[in-house]
Amino acid sequence: MIDKTSSGTDDYVPEKPSLKTGLLALKQKDYPQAIAHLEIIAQQESLKQKLKAQMGLVIAYEKTKQVDLAISLCRNLSKISDSKIKSFAHRHLKELLKRYPPKNLKKSTIPPPKASEISPRNQQSIETGFVPFNPTSDKSKSANNSNEISKQNIDLSVETGFKSIAENPNISERKSSQTSDYLKHSQSNKNDLEADQNKLPALSSIVNKSNLKNTNESHQISTEITSEFPKNPSQTSDSLKHSQANKNDLEADQNKSPAFALSSIVNKSNLKNTKITSDKPENLPKLKWRQAGRAKGGRRLKTPNLTILWLEQIIVGIALFWLSLTILKFSLDATNDFLVWLPYFRPIQIFYRDPTRNFIIFLLGLFIFSPWLIDGLLILTYGLQTLPTTTLINYSKEANKLLRTFCKKQKIQGIALKVLPIDVPIAFSYGCLPRFFRIVVSQGLLDNLAEDEIATIYAREISHVQNGDFRLMSMANMMLQIPYTIYLQLTFWADWVLDFINHQLPDFLPGFIKSFLPILVSVFRVFAAIISTLSYGLYWLLKLPILWLSRRRVYYSDRLACNLTGNPNGLTRAILKITIGMANDIKNQAKIRNLLESFEILMPVGINQAITAGSVVSYSGFESIFNWDTFNPYRRWLEINNTHPLLGDRLKRLSLYANFWKLETELNLENINADVTAKNQLSPTQEENIYTPQNLDWQKLLLQGAPFFGALIGLGFAIFLWLIGVISSAVGLWRLDWLFGDISILVACLVMGFSIGILMRINHFFPDIKQTKLWQNPDLAELLTDLKALPLDSQAIQFKGQLLGKSGMSNWLGQDLILQTTRGLVRLHYSEQLGPIGNLWPKINRPSNLVGKSITVTGWWRRGATPWIDINTLKTENGQSINSDHPLWSIIVAFALAIWGAYMVYTGRF
């Protein structure tokens, strides 16, 4: 039975309630009639109709001064997993609270309602965010911790995002006959609502697969809804103004009307993140934060000795300069050699000059202007905006106080605060000098982290100023942006030009132009493919000397952040929420954002380590996921290619700091030495005692790293030959004295040792895949818990899921291939028979062509610092198949290196 005393009108109940009619009434400013129609639709219709009706009701309630109802609706909509609906709810809720602030509210943040609250005009709250568990009274909360927000016990459902909870006792609930009637309707529709809740993570998929009626009419009706809603800049939160300048499609859609935004979701039938191939597991466990407390003051962790860190920076800086200068000289020489080889071309004479001096001047200029160059890049590409101090106070007074105290202590005027209008929670910092230091956070971080957790992230970033590592890291990051931006722009234009020729070519062009343009486009795409591939390879090559410092500085910043805040448990929660948020963003975007990849060395968490850990943690306990990171005896060797240390390692240290302050730990990571934590001072040496020594299987380790150990053996052999040359020269054997100092001998021994190492481990690395030994659709969490597993332990495996990743030329190398299963995400590694060269070959089947499709992956499971699957075959539901040839490519590389080494030994040149 429908409530006949709706708030929309006291005496009018439509005979045939219609969403179209309600939106038309909203457009014509007939708000009572709009409410009468939309309230009924919001209670009875299918999920997609309910959401559209509720978005219209938000505006209608505000216009009729029913602010409490509008706020309640916004809060429920903010829990929906769809990013556009969530951003609509956040934007309007912040504006409502700013326009009609509760009297006793401490800060103008936008907290979602408690799970126990029931909004009088809305459905039963959909459980998509934090809900309390083990509830306690307000008195007990304040007695346990002065920071109320950080002490709330919450239940995290990471499937659809997460929000912190803050009470709002002053928002009144309507205790009238309308409320009781509404609750009756909610109870009568309980079964339908629960069914809809289970489908929320696949909202866009549900909408896409439905044949919506009157889509065009609703589209036309609702395009003017936003214009009717007040847009007074003085009333709008500063932190939301940045959405107008963002170039991202997601933020661009946020400025549209609510129904139009939902219609755009309906019309985008190619949304990749909704095509889940298998059913969602039932009764998924939810993450439960303990909300462990923080130190009240008193003892502090011993300040680490920064001498070692400074020495590491000097070594890394020299290595980066030498590598980049060597690459530059090689590029100039190779360009001239190529021009000499071509007919009718002459070499460029300036390329023969020594570029060292000019390169040093270039690097100095890059260092000095790096803050403004990075600012410009982030503004043009990602919509970077200034974050006013007043806005930061709304989210975290502790963070603002921490920044002011730090600036006063360091005697700097202030730190520039920036915000990125994206939902994924991230933070990073850069600058050339402390006075030009910037801290950038995302809107997702401000929305998803509690007040004390935001403060710990800001503490991490300002610690880089005190440690002094921000200068070199900012400079290195700026250098990485050059090849990465070239790669992005070339691949974008190559795909755009091809699409223009195929679908947007004007009909009035003459026939000979139409026939000639595809040839030009093909030539351009070949050029773009080669240059973009080289640029992406250069990006990864330049990252190599930075990786060691990038990992090391994380330990220092975590430690100092704990000293500044006394809150290791808050930092633990912040790191985990960022990890989970990154994984959720990959699901929502159906790929890795370019920002997360290009700025990875500056982030609190590396995107590669967040892919699997952040997604699997939704279905498993924290401790089981991170046991490998803390117990595996080979983990130090396997993280050598990572930008960040292992998550379990970091979280274990934070647990150690919590034990030092005699706090309950947020995570129960075992193997912590109580004798060490009982000491008054913790030194870095003592921290190493928390790890139980493991017996290393050296034979297994040597086989795992056979190519690299082979190169080291080759280096030793080259040094032995040089020694023979020295002895021969001393005793007068002139026929052998040429061995000393011969670079070709050194390089030949290195590559030949590497080649032999590849051949030694290839059978162990790629065993035959037999159907009888194929492990089909295993639990990812179970795969991650083998404490002594190595990538060498090749497990033949088969997974079904959806392929995520970039599309077009930007993914020709297969660098962004991720499999989304029902239990998490895992990286995929693909190789052509000729490796990267084969990926550039025209008119071949590439995995990027299957992005967004349901696939079955067969390959070898690798458990390393970053778990992945080496692909053997990819198959779609319609029978399309792509084979990967990792073993063949490895053999080709091994023999090519062996032949090259023999050539250098024979000829004495490269």
Side-chain angles (χ1 to χ4, degrees), residues 332-459:
L332 297 179
D333 293 340
T335 301
N336 272 348
D337 292 342
F338 180 70
L339 292 176
V340 169
W341 178 77
L342 289 175
Y344 309 112
F345 284 90
R346 294 183 178 180
I348 302 174
Q349 297 301 317
I350 196 174
F351 284 5
Y352 287 121
R353 299 179 183 177
D354 186 0
T356 304
R357 186 182 65 178
N358 293 332
F359 186 63
I360 292 175
I361 295 174
F362 169 76
L363 291 182
L364 286 175
L366 203 64
F367 171 76
I368 294 172
F369 295 103
S370 60
W372 296 275
L373 292 174
I374 297 177
D375 285 347
L377 178 64
L378 292 175
I379 290 171
L380 292 175
T381 312
Y382 307 107
L384 181 72
Q385 293 289 322
T386 299
L387 178 64
T389 304
T390 54
T391 304
L392 177 61
I393 293 175
N394 290 336
Y395 289 98
S396 177
K397 293 181 180 178
E398 182 185 350
N400 179 69
K401 181 180 179 181
L402 182 70
L403 290 171
R404 287 191 289 105
T405 303
F406 183 81
C407 291
K408 183 177 181 181
K409 185 177 180 181
Q410 296 291 325
K411 297 181 180 180
I412 56 179
Q413 293 182 352
I415 294 176
L417 304 181
K418 307 287 183 178
V419 63
L420 288 168
I422 56 178
D423 292 334
V424 55
I426 57 172
F428 55 91
S429 55
Y430 55 90
C432 58
L433 295 172
R435 62 178 301 182
F436 301 125
F437 189 67
R438 283 103 159 94
I439 298 179
V440 178
V441 299
S442 66
Q443 188 64 41
L445 183 134
L446 296 175
D447 290 337
N448 294 327
L449 270 63
E451 179 178 0
D452 63 324
E453 296 160 4
I454 294 173
T456 60
I457 294 300
Y458 273 97

Side-chain angles (χ1 to χ4, degrees), residues 501-716:
I501 293 296
N502 291 337
H503 303 102
Q504 304 178 33
L505 201 62
D507 295 332
F508 60 81
L509 291 177
F512 74 93
I513 294 181
K514 291 184 177 180
S515 60
F516 184 67
L517 279 178
I519 299 175
L520 290 178
V521 171
S522 298
V523 174
F524 173 71
R525 284 177 61 82
V526 170
F527 169 80
I530 295 173
I531 301 302
S532 63
T533 300
L534 292 175
S535 298
Y536 192 78
L538 179 60
Y539 161 76
W540 277 101
L541 188 60
L542 290 176
K543 278 180 71 172
L544 293 179
I546 312 169
L547 296 178
W548 171 259
L549 179 62
S550 178
R551 291 194 302 271
R552 288 285 296 163
R553 77 179 197 135
V554 169
Y555 293 121
Y556 287 89
S557 60
D558 286 353
R559 186 186 181 94
L560 184 57
C562 292
N563 253 349
L564 291 173
T565 62
N567 194 6
N569 290 316
L571 183 56
T572 297
R573 293 190 296 272
I575 291 172
L576 287 171
K577 289 180 182 180
I578 290 173
T579 304
I580 295 168
M582 285 182 169
N584 286 340
D585 185 69
I586 294 174
K587 295 178 185 178
N588 296 332
Q589 298 291 320
K591 62 180 181 181
I592 296 177
R593 290 180 188 259
N594 296 324
L595 174 67
L596 301 185
E597 184 178 32
S598 60
F599 281 79
E600 184 180 18
I601 63 172
L602 302 182
M603 301 282 183
V605 177
I607 183 59
N608 288 299
Q609 64 182 183
I611 292 174
T612 301
S615 59
V616 175
V617 81
S618 309
Y619 312 102
S620 186
F622 289 117
E623 290 80 1
S624 62
I625 297 301
F626 300 119
N627 278 340
W628 189 95
D629 296 353
T630 57
F631 286 100
N632 188 278
Y634 314 100
R635 62 189 183 276
R636 300 298 181 199
W637 298 85
L638 298 176
E639 70 173 3
I640 193 170
N641 289 328
N642 282 23
T643 56
H644 291 70
L646 295 169
L647 276 173
D649 185 16
R650 294 177 65 186
L651 298 176
K652 192 170 185 178
R653 288 173 183 263
L654 293 177
S655 297
L656 175 64
Y657 300 154
N659 277 268
F660 167 73
W661 276 301
K662 303 185 184 304
L663 302 172
E664 178 189 4
T665 57
E666 187 67 33
L667 301 181
N668 276 340
L669 295 176
E670 300 175 358
N671 199 34
I672 294 179
N673 190 331
D675 294 334
V676 175
T677 60
K679 295 179 181 294
N680 292 332
Q681 297 289 333
L682 286 174
S683 68
T685 303
Q686 288 170 327
E687 286 182 32
E688 298 298 330
N689 294 333
I690 67 176
Y691 305 108
T692 301
Q694 299 283 345
N695 294 324
L696 294 178
D697 186 346
W698 286 103
Q699 183 178 358
K700 188 176 181 180
L701 180 61
L702 290 173
L703 189 58
Q704 168 67 41
F708 306 100
F709 290 118
L712 290 177
I713 293 173
L715 175 63

Side-chain angles (χ1 to χ4, degrees), residues 33-49:
Q33 184 178 4
I35 293 175
H37 282 271
L38 296 178
E39 278 188 336
I40 297 174
I41 299 299
Q43 296 174 17
Q44 283 194 334
E45 298 299 325
S46 62
L47 180 62
K48 59 182 179 293
Q49 299 286 346

